[in-house]
Amino acid sequence: MYKVLLVEDETVIRQGLRELIHQSVHSFEVTGEAANGSEAIAYLKADMPDVMITDIRMREMDGLVMMGKVKQMYPELIVIILSGYGEFVYAQKAIEYGVFKYLLKPIERHELVAAMQKAQLLLDRKYGVSTSLPTAANLEQTGSGGDTRKIIRDIREYVKRHIDGDLRLQTVASQVSLNATYLSQLFKNETGVNYSEYVLEVRMERAKWLLVHTQLKIYDVARLSGHQSPKHFMLVFKQQTGQTAGEYRDQFTDANF
């Protein structure tokens, strides 16, 4: 599930957007809301959405000023602007900041849905995701061999997309209506590694990326990479890399910030 941050000073519009996304684009979930640019920046210091949808004219800090700050924090963040202002100067500035889509209010439902679907394609490519989880019925129909490899590939993609979620073997097995022990054996046979080892590897890679490409606090990196607690994260990180998370980040600090 991809995360969305809504930045809009009118509560009614924000609620409408949240409902529209919930009903129409099922791969996205609104995980954060802000009434102005200042609140959005505060949110982004502790979390990292996949998409930000924002108005331009807001109190405290408007959308364009906020965009400049956000792009310094997360250059790759997908941003969709919703604006009642079609003036060239606004659109020009938005283009300078690399905005993904600039939609004029009142928003047409199909326009926003189309923009979100295009954003999903980009995110799917970024995370190497192609399909949703298979089901036990699919497994029975497809049998073994190459089709089994596809099922395992889909589960690996699911792990990447839900890296900060509940990825216990029992949970993932129940999602696909498979016995946990059977799924564990299937995964081991196809990949050569245990499911738990694979999850650990993906979470570690996510943590490294966040440490290098963001300024998030260590405890936020721990949370967003799916670790139980900052203490557990720091212990595992040291075991896996031979460095503390801070030491690892410091290697790249001068090059990135």
Side-chain angles (χ1 to χ4, degrees), residues 4-20:
V4 178
L5 170 62
L6 290 180
V7 189
E8 165 64 58
D9 59 352
E10 294 191 39
T11 305
V12 173
I13 295 178
R14 228 170 40 237
Q15 291 172 338
L17 289 170
R18 188 197 318 133
E19 190 60 25
L20 190 159

Side-chain angles (χ1 to χ4, degrees), residues 2 13 28 45 61 84 87 100 132 186 206 208-209 240:
Y2 295 124
I13 295 178
F28 292 89
K45 288 180 179 177
M61 181 190 299
E87 287 91 339
F100 182 68
S132 58
L186 197 65
R206 180 62 172 166
K208 290 177 180 176
W209 191 92
Q240 295 292 315

